[in-house]
Amino acid sequence: MAKLGIKEMDNQETIKLMRDMAMDASQKAYSPYSKAKIGSTVLTVERKYFSGSNVENSSYGATICAERVAILKAVSNGFTKLSKIYVYSKDGWPPCGMCRQMISEFATNDLEIIIGDKEGNERVYKFTELFPEAFTPEHLRK
Ligand code: ZN
């Protein structure tokens, strides 16, 4: 195995912590209807971590995904610039379209999305790969 530099080691430890927090959050999912247990962790540019789980509602439209819960926790604590987002589910589900739109509001240029599953597989994307041509706050400033 190749030796890793400090930056890569730090990145691996960051991703492991984000995975652990997301897995823990997934156990707290409120999902009596779908039974899906999703957890997400966001990392802000200030290196603050916030996690969340999906929260369903008997009025299905009021359901909110784990990614948006984690983002709302960050934003409501004053942190609005995201550098990484981890999404954990048993089968490695990617963020839905509504989450991608909300992520675009708070995404830094190099935002990474890491999608993990119960087997330990992880897929890493640049956010711009998952959501090209996003409608962002920049469009409203012109
Ligand atoms: Zn979603």
Side-chain angles (χ1 to χ4, degrees):
M1 193 169 108
K3 270 195 163 178
L4 298 174
I6 288 171
K7 196 169 178 186
E8 288 85 10
M9 277 173 50
D10 180 52
N11 193 48
Q12 285 191 351
E13 285 171 18
T14 296
I15 290 173
K16 183 183 184 317
L17 175 60
M18 293 180 79
R19 177 183 171 83
D20 289 348
M21 289 177 70
M23 286 178 74
D24 186 53
S26 75
Q27 295 307 305
K28 299 178 181 83
Y30 178 79
S31 52
Y33 311 109
S34 76
K35 315 286 191 221
K37 294 195 173 300
I38 319 297
S40 181
T41 306
V42 300
L43 173 65
T44 73
V45 296
E46 298 85 356
R47 297 197 67 77
K48 300 285 185 190
Y49 298 83
F50 296 91
S51 63
S53 67
N54 51 321
V55 179
E56 295 182 345
N57 193 281
S58 55
S59 176
Y60 294 166
T63 293
I64 185 165
C65 303
E67 300 93 308
R68 280 179 286 146
V69 170
I71 291 167
L72 293 175
K73 285 168 75 175
V75 172
S76 61
N77 278 283
F79 300 97
T80 59
K81 292 187 175 70
L82 307 177
S83 63
K84 290 185 196 300
I85 300 180
Y86 198 107
V87 187
Y88 172 82
S89 65
K90 181 169 66 77
D91 297 318
W93 290 352
C96 75
M98 196 178 288
C99 285
R100 293 178 197 204
Q101 180 60 42
M102 182 179 270
I103 291 165
S104 75
E105 186 80 13
F106 305 107
T108 51
N109 287 337
D110 55 352
L111 174 67
E112 276 185 348
I113 309 283
I114 304 113
I115 300 168
D117 67 20
K118 72 169 188 208
E119 307 297 335
N121 299 308
E122 290 176 336
R123 311 190 305 279
V124 182
Y125 298 94
K126 289 194 178 306
F127 181 60
T128 51
E129 289 179 89
L130 288 186
F131 202 50
E133 291 291 327
F135 183 78
T136 68
E138 286 301 312
H139 293 97
L140 298 177
R141 291 194 190 106
K142 290 178 182 163

